[in-house]
Amino acid sequence: MSRMCQITGKKVTVGNSVSHSNIKTKRTFAPNLQDRKFYLAEEKKWVSLRVSTNGMRTINKIGLAEALKRAKAKGFYKD
C-alpha cells in the first residue's frame, strides 16, 4: 500500500533537512495517514480507506459518497 491519501491524493514530498551549520541533506515529508473504516450508508457496507486527516475533514464536510465519487474521478480511489 502506497503512502498516499485515497481521498485527497496527498503523497510523500521531498525536501531538505537544514542543519544549524546550513548543510542541506535530502529528506521526505510523509502525509499524516490513518487507516480508517467508514460506513457507506447508500450501499450498506463498510469501506476501508487510507486517508489523511485532511481527507477525514473532507469526508465530514461533503459526505463519504460524494468524497468517493470525486476521488474516483481524479483517480485516487479504485474499488
Side-chain angles (χ1 to χ4, degrees):
M1 199 182 285
S2 65
R3 290 189 283 183
M4 182 174 143
C5 176
Q6 292 179 305
I7 297 297
T8 61
K10 285 182 179 251
K11 56 186 175 182
V12 175
T13 58
V14 179
N16 288 316
S17 273
V18 182
S19 68
H20 179 67
S21 62
N22 208 25
I23 296 171
K24 293 157 186 80
T25 55
K26 287 289 188 183
R27 61 157 292 187
T28 60
F29 295 91
N32 186 7
L33 293 179
Q34 312 291 324
D35 291 318
R36 290 282 183 263
K37 285 186 178 179
F38 296 95
Y39 187 70
L40 188 55
E42 290 81 6
E43 297 180 20
K44 295 185 174 130
K45 68 176 184 178
W46 288 91
V47 178
S48 290
L49 294 174
R50 191 159 199 205
V51 293
S52 62
T53 51
N54 191 0
M56 285 188 232
R57 292 185 65 201
T58 301
I59 290 170
N60 286 338
K61 281 178 87 170
I62 65 173
L64 181 60
E66 180 64 23
L68 286 175
K69 188 174 95 175
R70 290 182 188 181
K72 283 179 188 174
K74 292 182 180 176
F76 302 143
Y77 176 73
K78 297 167 184 69
D79 282 328

